[in-house]
Amino acid sequence: MSYTWLQGDKDSGVKAWMDGVPFDANTIEQLKRTARLPFIFRHVAAMPDAHWGLGSTVGSVIPTRGAIVPASVGVDIGCGMMALRTAYRAEHLPDSLSQLRTRLEAAVPHGRTNKGGAGDRGAWSDPPAGVCSTFRDRLASEMQKIIDATPELERIQGKALSHLGTLGGGNHFLEVCLDESDCVWIMLHSGSRYPGNAIGQHFIREAKRQLDGWFIELPDPNLAYIPQKSPLFETYVRALRWAQTYAWHNREIMMERAQEVLSDTIDPGSVITPHTSSADEMTVHCHHNYAELENHYGRNVWITRKGAVRARQGDMGIIPGSMGARSYIVRGKGCADSFNSCSHGAGRVMSRGEAKRRFTVADHEAATQGVECRKDANVLDETPGAYKDIEAVMAAQSDLVEIVHTLKQVVCVKG
């Protein structure tokens, strides 16, 4: 399949990959509003998982020249995926997957309690040495430069260390999966946690304040932008890139801890398959909420992927389904019309509130049969029925990526 102009109208300014996955009216109008911004370069690209989001549509690629919209990048700056094909196979997994999930939950802080205050189970009370080392060696000095330039962000200092190497809540997850050959994978989804959220919220407010001072009105205040000629722009980009780096290391730390748990849980005596070796390991890592300067159509432009993965020719990416559904390791085809991008998942078809009203725990248990995961009322907003059909989403973007591996989770840890 390939794109179509949104509503068949070239003047919409939106190329959409929506065959078999139609968008609702709110999503369509939001895409069109974004495309009308005066600094959009050529067109907005809408991925098949597109759905309404704050300011700009989740599942959209927004190319700009001379400005960035902070709310389009979002507040989970650098959110993305990491997947590792291990040297293990299905037969090496323990009989009790419940024990494996329990150990993963103990090794990686997840969720959020006490409104993120003291004793929050989703943060470290005493970060391990590896977390401290990463923060000190790679992140702390640059963070201080950001705080020096933006004293209002001093509050990130208190949680930057305790949130590094933690999963968060919402749709973030840590999974053990099997591929089409019964190889064991570890896959996780997380971002920049409190520091990224604080940075995003601050610059969204500053963008709005700055435009108000210039008497510029927008159809949606959350489309407030920071012009490249503004002194605020360089400050934002520096903080943005720091948060993206923070998110990247956050996933690396969690992956290391998940690997340790898997290795400790599997009986060494069971790993006797001759072709099982470290040579079978494969790592894929990608952002899907971020902005970066790239070259497209011969011009250097800012590409904001709000729920989209870079998919240049040969790029490896991850497109997860919902709990209970398949996920995909993909290789990019380098489609210029999509600004070398693809979807970042299945995409929601209903709000979290609607999902909790519509589905029961029994529905969720049936939808996640065969998966060792939480099956309680507090995860109904993440049940498979709240999302688009991942198979339809994949079919709609066959010109953007090719499927390399198909994964099915057997263990899922939710925040």
Side-chain angles (χ1 to χ4, degrees), residues 323-324 363-375 383-384:
M323 296 174 72
D363 294 330
H364 181 64
E365 289 175 344
T368 58
Q369 188 174 7
V371 182
E372 173 56 45
C373 64
R374 287 177 58 189
K375 300 179 191 285
T383 201

Side-chain angles (χ1 to χ4, degrees), residues 64-77:
T64 58
R65 297 192 71 240
I68 297 178
V69 179
S72 293
V73 181
V75 296
D76 195 0
I77 300 170

Side-chain angles (χ1 to χ4, degrees), residues 166-213:
T166 69
L167 192 64
N171 61 356
H172 293 164
F173 61 80
L174 167 61
E175 293 181 341
V176 177
C177 307
L178 300 178
D179 69 12
E180 67 285 344
S181 300
D182 272 351
C183 291
V184 176
W185 290 69
I186 303 170
M187 182 169 70
L188 58 86
H189 171 210
S190 190
S192 52
R193 306 290 282 111
Y194 178 86
N197 185 287
I199 289 169
Q201 295 282 9
H202 172 76
F203 284 101
I204 290 171
R205 288 193 298 269
E206 287 300 293
K208 291 177 180 178
R209 182 192 59 78
Q210 187 169 257
L211 292 195
D212 283 346

Side-chain angles (χ1 to χ4, degrees), residues 213-243:
W214 295 337
F215 302 102
I216 295 175
E217 294 186 7
L218 295 167
D220 181 348
N222 286 308
L223 287 175
Y225 53 89
I226 303 176
Q228 198 157 346
K229 293 181 179 180
S230 163
L232 190 63
F233 188 87
E234 185 178 345
T235 307
Y236 174 56
V237 168
R238 183 169 204 158
L240 174 73
R241 286 176 167 160
W242 180 88

